[in-house]
Amino acid sequence: MAKIDFGGVVEEVITAEEFTLEKARQVLKNEVVAVVGYGIQGRGQSLNMRDNGINVLVGEGPYAWDQAVADGFVPGETLFSPEEAAKRATIIQYLLSDAGQKEMWPVMKECLQPGNALYFSHGFSIVYKEQTGVIPPADIDVILVAPKGSGRTVRTNFLDGSGINSSYGVFQDATGKARERTLAVGIAIGSGYLFPTTFEQEVYSDLTGERGVLMGCLAGVMEAQYNVLRKNGHTPSEAFNETVEELTQSLIRLVAENGMDWMYANCSITAQRGALDWKDRFRDAVVPVFDSLYESVKTGKETQIVLDASKDPNYRDKLQKELEVIHNSEMWKAGAAVRDLRPERRKK
């Protein structure tokens, strides 16, 4: 286990060089892995494992059955109903949506056998068990590997040869080999390295990140700056370029490669001073919002919002209306026009 200094805090991580794919294959050679739920995450993980030589079954209903067939899974051989796949497996990757896991749990728990491993890529169902009802039996392993990216990225990074970093955790070790199983599957799905977490820490950080910097906060801050620029007479193209396009097409890539300090060191003094002078003001302004968000996540309020929405028969229609507001806004229509002007698109 490698020890890495993360900003002065030493953490232990598992690398693909240390826990090799060959070792993962040896650990899993007598295991049958059933991926229950062939959504974006389930598809990426199952295809990567299959390509890595793992014995993989897919458990899926009508929703993505045809996609699984198109991807080469054979009905009656490697493609089954969720219940049948789970009964045939020793490791069950429970990768339905959070709400779907709650709904299917009464059926799924009857498919589990002593010594099985129940695998999650999100701590939601276990941590919020009072709301989901997902309480595994005591005679199985309960494990977690959570890729830090969408299922689409899990697959594309694998195909590119780069892999993706993932967190891992063990909630329940009934067999004495839960950790080894966890790491083996983590490597088999294409993780470049794995860092330890708990089910609680994973779900708290994940839900905060999605609602915060990764999506909710990012979109909200973009809208705020765009609207201020438009209010002060800037054109839509200028407002969008200065708010979104320069960030996504230039700056964020440099930050990803070299860090924010490098970004500050390699821009004009005008940009340096402005960014450094305003950074702390923005940070201090949003801390109360993030504190409120984290509390809402930790207490299960956000969980209940998700579960209530999933029960609403009109949710998809309501969601579509919300998305249409964004799609049809001046800001994102301007964005579509700006994207069409990118050199790589104009060459087509």
Side-chain angles (χ1 to χ4, degrees), residues 66-86:
D66 291 345
Q67 179 64 65
V69 172
D71 288 338
F73 290 97
V74 181
E77 295 182 16
T78 54
L79 176 60
F80 302 91
S81 69
E83 302 96 304
E84 185 61 28

Side-chain angles (χ1 to χ4, degrees), residues 37-100:
Y38 202 67
I40 294 177
Q41 194 65 241
R43 180 172 185 260
Q45 293 194 32
S46 59
L47 290 174
N48 290 359
M49 286 190 292
R50 187 181 67 182
D51 288 354
N52 275 332
I54 308 304
N55 188 1
V56 180
L57 307 178
V58 167
E60 182 54 64
Y63 176 75
W65 183 274
D66 291 345
Q67 179 64 65
V69 172
D71 288 338
F73 290 97
V74 181
E77 295 182 16
T78 54
L79 176 60
F80 302 91
S81 69
E83 302 96 304
E84 185 61 28
K87 289 176 182 177
R88 290 171 176 261
T90 56
I91 298 176
I92 297 89
Q93 292 195 346
Y94 203 30
L95 299 183
L96 298 170
S97 68
D98 294 324

Side-chain angles (χ1 to χ4, degrees), residues 12 21 34 48 64 67 104 107 130 149 161 203-204 211 230-231 288 291 319 322 329 331 335 340:
E12 296 181 333
L21 178 57
N48 290 359
Q67 179 64 65
M104 193 173 185
V107 174
E130 292 83 4
V203 74
Y204 295 163
R211 287 150 180 76
R230 289 289 290 125
K231 182 173 66 177
D291 283 339
L319 171 64
E322 289 182 278
S329 68
M331 175 178 172
D340 285 342

Side-chain angles (χ1 to χ4, degrees), residues 245-264:
E245 193 74 353
E246 187 173 353
L247 171 67
T248 59
Q249 296 303 297
S250 175
L251 302 186
I252 202 65
R253 298 177 181 181
L254 297 175
V255 174
E257 292 173 5
N258 303 293
M260 186 60 76
D261 58 324
W262 186 95
M263 182 72 250
Y264 285 147

Side-chain angles (χ1 to χ4, degrees), residues 263-278:
M263 182 72 250
Y264 285 147
N266 287 273
C267 61
S268 69
I269 190 171
T270 304
Q272 286 170 350
R273 281 273 41 93
L276 288 167
D277 291 348
W278 279 87

Side-chain angles (χ1 to χ4, degrees), residues 163-235:
I164 193 167
N165 58 307
S166 304
S167 60
Y168 76 93
V170 174
F171 178 77
Q172 185 169 286
D173 184 4
T175 66
K177 57 181 182 179
R179 183 176 180 274
E180 188 176 50
R181 280 170 140 179
T182 306
L183 297 178
V185 177
I187 295 299
I189 68 169
S191 301
Y193 75 89
L194 299 112
F195 60 92
T197 189
T198 65
F199 276 62
E200 289 84 359
Q201 294 295 83
E202 187 282 329
V203 74
Y204 295 163
S205 60
D206 189 74
L207 266 60
T208 300
E210 291 169 347
R211 287 150 180 76
V213 169
L214 301 180
M215 294 178 68
C217 174
L218 179 64
V221 169
M222 284 178 171
E223 289 179 18
Q225 178 169 303
Y226 179 90
N227 290 341
V228 166
L229 291 174
R230 289 289 290 125
K231 182 173 66 177
N232 284 278
H234 298 268
T235 64

Side-chain angles (χ1 to χ4, degrees), residues 125-165:
S125 290
I126 295 295
V127 173
Y128 301 112
K129 57 183 181 295
E130 292 83 4
Q131 291 159 286
T132 65
V134 177
I135 303 175
D139 56 4
I140 68 168
D141 296 340
V142 182
I143 63 179
L144 169 93
V145 176
K148 300 299 108 179
S150 72
R152 188 179 303 279
T153 308
V154 169
R155 183 59 176 164
T156 56
N157 282 19
F158 176 84
L159 294 174
D160 291 342
S162 60
I164 193 167
N165 58 307

